[in-house]
C-alpha cells in the first residue's frame, strides 16, 4: 500500500488525537479511505486469526441518515434532560458541517465483530470459552486504532463514538447488516477544523510502564 504520508509510525501514533471539530472540506478520495480501511481489516491481528472484525463505511447521505436515526432513538430512549443536554447537541455536531452552515458531508465508519467467529473457536478450545468475547473486543480495538492512526496520518480528524447498543437494531435494519455482526463503535471523521476539545494530560509514564530485569 502506498503512503502519502512521510510520518514515521511513532510520529503518527503521537499525532493521532480525538478531534470533534471537523469540516466537510475533505480532499482525500473515498477510494483512499477504503484502501486504508481494507489495509487495517486485512492486517490487524485477531485471536487465532479468526478475522472477526467488520467495517461499514458510510458516506454523505448514508452518514446523514445514520445520525438522523441515532437522534430519533436517543430521543425515544434517553431521559428528556439528558437528550437535550447531551445527545441533541452532540448529534448535531456530528451531523452538521462545522462553520460552513452547509450540508454535512462527513463520513464515518461503523466497527463490527462477526460473532459467528466464536463458535468454531469455542468448539476447538472450550477451556478458553470465557476469554474469547473479550479477545474479540481487544481485536476490534486494535482494528479501530489502526484505522484511526492511518486516517490521522492522512491528515483527517477522527473521533470515536459509542451510540451502540441503543441504536443497534435500527441500524441493522436500515443497512441490512448480517444478524451475526455486533456493533462495537462508530468513528466520525472529516477535515480538522480546530484543536482537540481538551488539552491532554499525561500521568507519569514511569508508573504506568514498568521494566523488570534491566
Ligand atoms: C475504548 C475507547 C472508547 C472511547 N469512547 C469515546 C466516546 O464514546 N466518545 C468520545 O467522544 N470519545 C471517546 N473516546 C476517546 C477518548 O476520550 C480519547 O481517546 C481520550 O480522551 C484521549 O484523547 P486523544 O484521543 O485525543 O488522545 C474513546 C476512546 C477509547 C480508547
Amino acid at each position: 500500500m502506498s503512503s502519502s504520508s512521510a510520518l514515521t509510525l511513532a510520529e503518527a501514533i503521537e499525532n493521532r488525537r480525538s478531534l470533534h471539530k471537523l469540516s466537510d472540506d475533505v480532499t482525500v478520495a473515498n477510494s483512499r479511505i477504503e484502501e486504508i480501511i481494507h489495509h487495517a481489516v486485512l492486517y490487524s491481528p485477531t485471536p487465532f486469526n479468526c478475522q472477526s472484525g467488520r467495517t461499514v463505511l458510510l458516506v454523505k447521505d448514508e452518514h446523514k441518515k445514520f445520525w438522523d436515526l441515532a437522534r430519533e432513538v436517543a430521543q425515544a430512549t434517553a431521559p428528556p434532560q439528558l437528550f437535550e443536554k447531551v445527545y441533541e447537541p452532540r448529534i448535531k455536531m456530528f451531523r452538521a458541517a462545522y462553520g460552513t452552515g452547509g450540508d454535512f458531508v462527513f463520513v464515518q465508519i461503523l466497527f463490527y465483530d462477526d460473532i459467528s467467529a466464536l463458535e468454531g473457536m469455542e468448539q476447538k478450545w472450550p477451556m478458553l470459552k470465557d476469554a474469547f468475547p473479550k479477545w474479540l473486543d481487544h481485536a476490534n480495538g486494535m482494528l479501530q486504532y489502526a484505522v484511526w492512526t492511518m486516517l490521522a496520518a492522512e491528515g483527517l480528524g477522527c473521533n470515536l463514538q459509542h451510540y451502540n447498543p441503543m441504536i443497534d437494531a435500527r441500524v441493522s435494519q436500515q443497512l441490512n447488516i448480517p444478524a451475526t455482526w455486533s456493533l462495537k463503535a462508530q468513528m466520525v471523521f472529516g477535515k480538522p477544523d480546530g484543536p482537540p476539545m481538551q488539552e491532554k494530560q499525561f500521568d507519569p509514564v514511569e508508573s504506568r510502564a514498568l521494566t523488570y530485569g534491566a
Side-chain angles (χ1 to χ4, degrees):
M1 180 177 156
S2 64
S3 170
S4 63
S5 166
L7 294 180
T8 64
L9 180 58
E11 285 167 337
I13 288 170
E14 188 175 335
N15 290 347
R16 179 222 53 81
R17 292 297 313 272
S18 291
L19 295 178
H20 295 80
K21 293 179 184 175
L22 303 169
S23 92
D24 58 2
D25 188 17
V26 174
T27 51
V28 182
N30 278 345
S31 57
R32 174 66 181 157
I33 290 164
E34 278 178 327
E35 192 182 18
I36 285 172
I37 296 170
H38 291 183
H39 203 70
V41 167
L42 271 179
Y43 298 114
S44 295
T46 55
F48 294 100
N49 197 30
C50 71
Q51 304 176 52
S52 44
R54 302 286 183 270
T55 61
V56 176
L57 175 64
L58 300 177
V59 296
K60 301 186 178 174
D61 269 2
E62 289 298 330
H63 171 91
K64 195 172 182 174
K65 278 198 305 202
F66 175 92
W67 287 110
D68 285 343
L69 184 156
R71 185 186 181 282
E72 210 182 300
V73 175
Q75 192 168 26
T77 315
Q81 262 198 334
L82 189 68
F83 175 76
E84 272 168 40
K85 283 210 167 111
V86 179
Y87 284 112
E88 174 116 278
R90 288 201 131 219
I91 289 172
K92 220 172 174 178
M93 176 171 76
F94 300 133
R95 187 186 181 284
Y98 250 87
T100 64
D103 263 352
F104 86 153
V105 287
F106 287 163
V107 249
Q108 71 171 319
I109 305 163
L110 309 182
F111 289 90
Y112 285 88
D113 272 338
D114 188 342
I115 55 166
S116 66
L118 290 171
E119 274 172 40
M121 289 198 299
E122 284 171 1
Q123 273 170 14
K124 214 166 170 188
W125 295 280
M127 67 294 237
L128 297 173
K129 192 174 186 290
D130 293 344
F132 285 138
K134 284 180 247 169
W135 291 355
L136 249 54
D137 272 350
H138 296 187
N140 204 284
M142 293 181 194
L143 171 60
Q144 294 164 31
Y145 182 64
V147 171
W148 194 346
T149 305
M150 280 197 285
L151 290 178
E154 202 69 26
L156 291 163
C158 307
N159 62 74
L160 194 64
Q161 299 304 317
H162 295 89
Y163 284 76
N164 48 296
M166 183 170 69
I167 54 168
D168 291 12
R170 289 283 309 278
V171 175
S172 293
Q173 193 185 27
Q174 182 158 299
L175 298 172
N176 204 15
I177 299 293
T180 55
W181 290 24
S182 168
L183 185 58
K184 298 291 165 156
Q186 303 88 55
M187 189 173 286
V188 179
F189 57 98
K191 185 181 175 189
D193 194 29
M197 278 171 121
Q198 278 176 350
E199 182 106 358
K200 197 166 166 176
Q201 305 296 327
F202 295 93
D203 294 336
V205 73
E206 293 76 16
S207 58
R208 301 162 65 195
L210 308 181
T211 304
Y212 289 97

